[in-house]
Amino acid sequence: MPQIRLNDCEFHYTDQGSGQPVLLLHGLGSSEQDWEYQIPALSAHYRVLCLDMRGHGGTDKTGKGYSIALFARDCLAFIEAMGLEKPHIVGLSMGGMIAFQLATDAPEVPASLTIVNSAPEVIPRRPAELWMAGKRLFFAHVLPMSTIAKGLSRLLFPKPEQVNHRQTFIQRWTANHRRSYLASLRAIVGWGVSNQLDRISCPVLVVSADQDYTPVELKREYVSRMGDARLEVIADSRHATPVDQPDAFNTLLLNFLSQVDSSRVTTTTEPAQAGLSTL
Protein backbone atom coordinates (compact mmCIF):
# COMPACT_ATOMS: atom_id res chain seq x y z
CA MET A 1 0.00 0.00 0.00
CA PRO A 2 1.38 3.48 -0.84
CA GLN A 3 2.54 5.31 2.29
CA ILE A 4 3.81 8.82 2.84
CA ARG A 5 5.18 10.51 5.96
CA LEU A 6 3.64 13.87 6.80
CA ASN A 7 3.75 15.88 10.03
CA ASP A 8 5.36 13.01 11.97
CA CYS A 9 2.67 10.53 10.90
CA GLU A 10 2.68 7.70 8.35
CA PHE A 11 -0.28 8.04 5.98
CA HIS A 12 -1.91 5.56 3.63
CA TYR A 13 -3.17 6.92 0.33
CA THR A 14 -4.24 5.81 -3.14
CA ASP A 15 -3.47 7.50 -6.45
CA GLN A 16 -5.29 6.46 -9.64
CA GLY A 17 -6.00 7.90 -13.08
CA SER A 18 -4.49 10.97 -14.69
CA GLY A 19 -5.36 14.59 -15.34
CA GLN A 20 -6.52 17.35 -13.03
CA PRO A 21 -6.21 16.09 -9.42
CA VAL A 22 -9.26 15.30 -7.28
CA LEU A 23 -8.65 14.66 -3.57
CA LEU A 24 -11.35 12.64 -1.78
CA LEU A 25 -11.69 13.09 2.00
CA HIS A 26 -13.66 10.46 3.90
CA GLY A 27 -15.90 10.79 6.94
CA LEU A 28 -15.52 9.86 10.60
CA GLY A 29 -14.72 6.19 11.15
CA SER A 30 -14.26 5.66 7.43
CA SER A 31 -11.38 5.36 4.95
CA GLU A 32 -10.62 5.47 1.24
CA GLN A 33 -12.59 2.22 0.89
CA ASP A 34 -15.87 4.12 1.13
CA TRP A 35 -15.15 5.95 -2.16
CA GLU A 36 -15.28 2.67 -4.05
CA TYR A 37 -18.25 3.79 -6.17
CA GLN A 38 -16.62 7.11 -7.09
CA ILE A 39 -13.06 6.12 -7.95
CA PRO A 40 -13.85 4.24 -11.20
CA ALA A 41 -16.15 7.02 -12.46
CA LEU A 42 -13.72 9.81 -11.57
CA SER A 43 -10.44 8.14 -12.58
CA ALA A 44 -11.64 7.85 -16.17
CA HIS A 45 -11.28 11.66 -16.37
CA TYR A 46 -9.14 12.76 -13.41
CA ARG A 47 -6.20 11.86 -11.23
CA VAL A 48 -8.02 10.64 -8.12
CA LEU A 49 -6.28 10.59 -4.75
CA CYS A 50 -7.66 9.36 -1.44
CA LEU A 51 -5.96 10.03 1.88
CA ASP A 52 -6.77 8.11 5.04
CA MET A 53 -6.86 10.65 7.86
CA ARG A 54 -4.69 9.98 10.88
CA GLY A 55 -6.42 7.43 13.08
CA HIS A 56 -8.30 5.94 10.12
CA GLY A 57 -7.83 3.15 7.60
CA GLY A 58 -4.20 2.30 6.91
CA THR A 59 -2.80 5.47 8.49
CA ASP A 60 -1.05 5.57 11.88
CA LYS A 61 -3.37 5.55 14.89
CA THR A 62 -2.37 7.30 18.08
CA GLY A 63 -5.67 8.82 19.22
CA LYS A 64 -3.81 11.86 20.58
CA GLY A 65 -4.05 15.54 19.75
CA TYR A 66 -6.53 15.23 16.90
CA SER A 67 -8.30 18.31 15.56
CA ILE A 68 -9.97 19.33 12.32
CA ALA A 69 -7.26 21.97 11.93
CA LEU A 70 -4.58 19.26 12.21
CA PHE A 71 -6.38 17.07 9.66
CA ALA A 72 -6.45 20.06 7.28
CA ARG A 73 -2.72 20.67 7.79
CA ASP A 74 -2.11 17.02 6.97
CA CYS A 75 -4.06 17.43 3.73
CA LEU A 76 -2.13 20.57 2.80
CA ALA A 77 1.15 18.75 3.47
CA PHE A 78 -0.06 15.87 1.27
CA ILE A 79 -1.03 18.24 -1.55
CA GLU A 80 2.41 19.84 -1.41
CA ALA A 81 4.30 16.55 -1.16
CA MET A 82 2.41 15.06 -4.12
CA GLY A 83 2.86 18.21 -6.21
CA LEU A 84 -0.87 18.70 -6.72
CA GLU A 85 -1.67 21.99 -8.44
CA LYS A 86 -5.16 23.39 -7.73
CA PRO A 87 -6.81 20.09 -6.76
CA HIS A 88 -10.55 19.67 -6.60
CA ILE A 89 -11.39 18.66 -3.03
CA VAL A 90 -14.39 16.46 -2.20
CA GLY A 91 -15.29 15.86 1.44
CA LEU A 92 -18.00 13.72 3.02
CA SER A 93 -19.22 14.58 6.54
CA MET A 94 -16.00 14.98 8.58
CA GLY A 95 -14.17 15.18 5.26
CA GLY A 96 -16.35 18.16 4.37
CA MET A 97 -15.33 19.85 7.61
CA ILE A 98 -11.68 19.25 6.78
CA ALA A 99 -12.29 20.72 3.32
CA PHE A 100 -13.90 23.82 4.85
CA GLN A 101 -10.94 24.23 7.23
CA LEU A 102 -8.41 23.79 4.43
CA ALA A 103 -10.18 26.29 2.15
CA THR A 104 -10.34 28.94 4.87
CA ASP A 105 -6.73 28.34 5.96
CA ALA A 106 -5.35 28.28 2.39
CA PRO A 107 -7.94 29.72 -0.02
CA GLU A 108 -5.43 29.71 -2.89
CA VAL A 109 -5.04 25.92 -2.86
CA PRO A 110 -8.32 24.29 -4.05
CA ALA A 111 -9.76 24.61 -7.53
CA SER A 112 -13.15 23.73 -6.07
CA LEU A 113 -14.85 22.24 -3.04
CA THR A 114 -17.58 19.62 -3.01
CA ILE A 115 -19.12 19.35 0.45
CA VAL A 116 -21.31 16.30 1.05
CA ASN A 117 -23.68 16.07 4.03
CA SER A 118 -21.56 18.36 6.15
CA ALA A 119 -21.41 21.87 7.61
CA PRO A 120 -18.89 24.62 8.43
CA GLU A 121 -19.40 24.15 12.16
CA VAL A 122 -20.51 21.61 14.75
CA ILE A 123 -21.12 23.93 17.69
CA PRO A 124 -24.12 23.03 19.86
CA ARG A 125 -25.98 26.25 20.67
CA ARG A 126 -29.51 25.28 21.68
CA PRO A 127 -30.41 23.01 24.61
CA ALA A 128 -31.58 20.27 22.23
CA GLU A 129 -28.29 20.44 20.33
CA LEU A 130 -26.27 20.28 23.54
CA TRP A 131 -28.31 17.26 24.63
CA MET A 132 -27.76 15.46 21.31
CA ALA A 133 -24.02 16.17 21.30
CA GLY A 134 -23.64 15.03 24.88
CA LYS A 135 -25.65 11.89 24.23
CA ARG A 136 -23.59 10.99 21.17
CA LEU A 137 -20.31 11.48 23.02
CA PHE A 138 -21.56 9.48 26.00
CA PHE A 139 -22.74 6.47 24.02
CA ALA A 140 -19.64 6.53 21.82
CA HIS A 141 -17.50 6.20 24.94
CA VAL A 142 -19.51 3.46 26.65
CA LEU A 143 -20.79 1.23 23.83
CA PRO A 144 -18.66 -1.35 22.01
CA MET A 145 -17.70 -0.45 18.43
CA SER A 146 -19.72 -3.41 17.16
CA THR A 147 -22.89 -2.08 18.82
CA ILE A 148 -22.33 1.40 17.40
CA ALA A 149 -21.72 -0.12 13.96
CA LYS A 150 -24.98 -2.09 13.99
CA GLY A 151 -27.01 0.92 15.08
CA LEU A 152 -25.46 3.23 12.50
CA SER A 153 -25.84 0.67 9.73
CA ARG A 154 -29.59 0.61 10.27
CA LEU A 155 -29.76 4.42 10.19
CA LEU A 156 -27.66 4.72 7.05
CA PHE A 157 -29.07 1.78 5.12
CA PRO A 158 -32.58 0.98 6.41
CA LYS A 159 -34.00 -0.72 3.32
CA PRO A 160 -34.20 -4.53 3.05
CA GLU A 161 -32.37 -4.43 -0.30
CA GLN A 162 -29.45 -2.58 1.34
CA VAL A 163 -28.40 -5.59 3.41
CA ASN A 164 -25.02 -5.81 1.64
CA HIS A 165 -24.31 -2.16 2.44
CA ARG A 166 -25.18 -2.80 6.09
CA GLN A 167 -22.91 -5.81 6.31
CA THR A 168 -20.01 -4.02 4.64
CA PHE A 169 -20.46 -1.00 6.90
CA ILE A 170 -20.49 -3.12 10.07
CA GLN A 171 -17.36 -4.97 9.00
CA ARG A 172 -15.43 -1.80 8.23
CA TRP A 173 -16.68 0.25 11.18
CA THR A 174 -15.93 -2.48 13.72
CA ALA A 175 -12.31 -2.49 12.53
CA ASN A 176 -11.87 1.12 13.72
CA HIS A 177 -9.21 1.90 16.30
CA ARG A 178 -11.44 2.88 19.21
CA ARG A 179 -9.22 5.51 20.81
CA SER A 180 -8.60 7.21 17.46
CA TYR A 181 -12.30 7.15 16.63
CA LEU A 182 -13.19 8.80 19.94
CA ALA A 183 -10.43 11.39 19.53
CA SER A 184 -11.74 12.23 16.05
CA LEU A 185 -15.31 12.51 17.33
CA ARG A 186 -14.17 14.89 20.08
CA ALA A 187 -12.29 16.91 17.44
CA ILE A 188 -15.56 17.48 15.56
CA VAL A 189 -17.74 18.64 18.44
CA GLY A 190 -17.15 22.34 19.06
CA TRP A 191 -15.25 22.91 15.80
CA GLY A 192 -16.26 25.63 13.37
CA VAL A 193 -15.14 28.05 10.65
CA SER A 194 -18.59 29.46 9.93
CA ASN A 195 -17.39 33.00 10.55
CA GLN A 196 -14.65 32.61 7.91
CA LEU A 197 -16.70 31.45 4.92
CA ASP A 198 -15.93 34.70 3.10
CA ARG A 199 -12.31 33.52 2.81
CA ILE A 200 -13.32 30.71 0.43
CA SER A 201 -12.58 31.91 -3.10
CA CYS A 202 -13.22 28.82 -5.21
CA PRO A 203 -16.53 27.43 -6.56
CA VAL A 204 -18.39 25.27 -4.04
CA LEU A 205 -20.92 22.52 -4.61
CA VAL A 206 -22.84 21.50 -1.50
CA VAL A 207 -24.62 18.15 -1.79
CA SER A 208 -27.30 17.22 0.72
CA ALA A 209 -29.25 14.02 1.06
CA ASP A 210 -32.94 14.71 1.50
CA GLN A 211 -32.86 12.54 4.64
CA ASP A 212 -29.48 13.54 6.08
CA TYR A 213 -28.97 13.92 9.84
CA THR A 214 -29.16 17.70 9.47
CA PRO A 215 -31.92 19.37 7.46
CA VAL A 216 -31.52 20.70 3.94
CA GLU A 217 -32.40 24.18 5.23
CA LEU A 218 -29.25 24.23 7.34
CA LYS A 219 -27.18 23.74 4.19
CA ARG A 220 -29.25 26.30 2.29
CA GLU A 221 -28.50 28.88 4.99
CA TYR A 222 -24.73 28.55 4.92
CA VAL A 223 -24.64 28.28 1.12
CA SER A 224 -26.37 31.67 1.01
CA ARG A 225 -23.40 33.14 2.88
CA MET A 226 -20.81 31.99 0.34
CA GLY A 227 -20.00 33.62 -2.96
CA ASP A 228 -19.77 31.08 -5.77
CA ALA A 229 -21.73 28.26 -4.14
CA ARG A 230 -24.79 26.19 -4.92
CA LEU A 231 -26.82 23.49 -3.21
CA GLU A 232 -28.01 20.24 -4.81
CA VAL A 233 -30.35 17.83 -3.02
CA ILE A 234 -30.29 14.10 -3.77
CA ALA A 235 -33.58 12.32 -3.22
CA ASP A 236 -34.07 9.03 -1.38
CA SER A 237 -30.69 9.30 0.30
CA ARG A 238 -29.32 9.40 3.83
CA HIS A 239 -25.94 10.38 5.26
CA ALA A 240 -23.86 8.03 3.09
CA THR A 241 -25.00 9.52 -0.23
CA PRO A 242 -21.96 8.41 -2.29
CA VAL A 243 -22.83 4.83 -1.31
CA ASP A 244 -26.64 4.77 -1.33
CA GLN A 245 -27.05 6.97 -4.46
CA PRO A 246 -23.73 6.63 -6.31
CA ASP A 247 -25.04 7.23 -9.84
CA ALA A 248 -26.88 10.43 -8.95
CA PHE A 249 -23.95 11.67 -6.88
CA ASN A 250 -21.33 10.84 -9.51
CA THR A 251 -23.33 12.63 -12.22
CA LEU A 252 -23.62 15.77 -10.08
CA LEU A 253 -19.96 15.71 -9.16
CA LEU A 254 -18.64 15.10 -12.68
CA ASN A 255 -20.83 17.84 -14.13
CA PHE A 256 -19.67 20.29 -11.47
CA LEU A 257 -15.98 19.48 -11.94
CA SER A 258 -16.33 19.80 -15.71
CA GLN A 259 -17.98 23.20 -15.35
CA VAL A 260 -15.26 24.44 -13.01
CA ASP A 261 -12.50 23.19 -15.31
CA SER A 262 -14.15 24.79 -18.36
CA SER A 263 -14.46 28.09 -16.50
CA ARG A 264 -10.80 27.98 -15.44
CA VAL A 265 -9.66 27.36 -19.03
CA THR A 266 -11.76 30.29 -20.26
CA THR A 267 -10.43 32.58 -17.55
CA THR A 268 -6.85 31.55 -18.31
CA THR A 269 -7.08 32.00 -22.08
CA GLU A 270 -9.08 35.25 -22.20
CA PRO A 271 -6.19 37.56 -21.19
CA ALA A 272 -3.92 35.96 -23.80
CA GLN A 273 -6.58 36.36 -26.49
CA ALA A 274 -7.16 39.97 -25.47
CA GLY A 275 -3.45 40.66 -25.75
CA LEU A 276 -3.27 39.16 -29.24
CA SER A 277 -6.13 41.36 -30.41
CA THR A 278 -4.11 44.47 -29.64
CA LEU A 279 -1.09 43.45 -31.70
Side-chain angles (χ1 to χ4, degrees):
M1 294 190 301
Q3 299 284 129
I4 187 169
R5 189 159 189 84
L6 308 164
N7 298 333
D8 296 321
C9 180
E10 199 77 17
F11 286 81
H12 165 68
Y13 71 96
T14 62
D15 185 353
Q16 301 175 59
S18 61
Q20 181 72 12
V22 178
L23 176 59
L24 303 178
L25 305 180
H26 62 76
L28 174 66
S30 182
S31 73
E32 55 85 15
Q33 290 180 309
D34 286 346
W35 294 110
E36 60 189 320
Y37 298 107
Q38 282 65 59
I39 292 172
L42 289 169
S43 60
H45 309 279
Y46 295 93
R47 180 184 179 188
V48 183
L49 302 101
C50 303
L51 181 67
D52 285 352
M53 294 297 103
R54 57 176 72 214
H56 293 74
T59 294
D60 284 352
K61 303 169 181 65
T62 63
K64 296 180 180 179
Y66 292 177
S67 69
I68 300 299
L70 175 59
F71 294 156
R73 289 197 297 273
D74 291 337
C75 291
L76 286 169
F78 179 71
I79 289 167
E80 181 178 0
M82 298 298 290
L84 307 182
E85 184 177 351
K86 300 296 284 186
H88 298 290
I89 299 177
V90 183
L92 169 64
S93 192
M94 185 185 79
M97 300 171 202
I98 297 167
F100 271 128
Q101 182 77 59
L102 185 155
T104 55
D105 288 346
E108 74 284 356
V109 169
S112 74
L113 297 183
T114 299
I115 306 294
V116 189
N117 294 333
S118 190
E121 68 172 37
V122 186
I123 301 175
R125 300 184 187 278
R126 301 181 180 89
E129 294 171 348
L130 289 165
W131 166 252
M132 289 299 296
K135 185 169 71 170
R136 181 173 183 184
L137 287 167
F138 173 76
F139 283 117
H141 282 77
V142 300
L143 293 177
M145 293 299 290
S146 58
T147 302
I148 297 171
K150 290 174 184 176
L152 286 175
S153 72
R154 290 191 293 269
L155 285 175
L156 295 174
F157 308 110
K159 298 180 181 180
E161 63 269 27
Q162 293 176 323
V163 60
N164 289 337
H165 287 328
R166 287 194 295 275
Q167 291 173 347
T168 298
F169 178 86
I170 291 169
Q171 179 185 17
R172 291 176 180 174
W173 191 272
T174 305
N176 269 299
H177 182 252
R178 182 178 180 83
R179 189 169 64 185
S180 294
Y181 165 74
L182 293 173
S184 300
L185 176 59
R186 290 192 296 269
I188 290 173
V189 178
W191 163 85
V193 293
S194 187
N195 61 347
Q196 301 178 55
L197 292 180
D198 59 348
R199 288 182 53 79
I200 298 174
S201 57
C202 64
V204 182
L205 170 65
V206 174
V207 179
S208 176
D210 62 343
Q211 301 171 64
D212 188 25
Y213 298 144
T214 56
V216 173
E217 285 306 312
L218 183 146
K219 286 93 165 179
R220 198 181 311 280
E221 187 280 327
Y222 75 70
V223 166
S224 71
R225 293 189 283 118
M226 291 190 287
D228 187 2
R230 73 174 193 255
L231 171 68
E232 297 286 350
V233 180
I234 294 185
D236 193 26
S237 179
R238 292 176 183 257
H239 194 61
T241 298
V243 177
D244 69 25
Q245 292 291 350
D247 293 339
F249 175 73
N250 291 349
T251 298
L252 267 181
L253 178 57
L254 284 166
N255 286 342
F256 172 68
L257 298 181
S258 177
Q259 290 167 11
V260 173
D261 288 340
S262 296
S263 176
R264 290 179 66 218
V265 169
T266 301
T267 303
T268 302
T269 57
E270 276 180 351
Q273 291 171 345
L276 288 171
S277 68
T278 63
L279 295 176

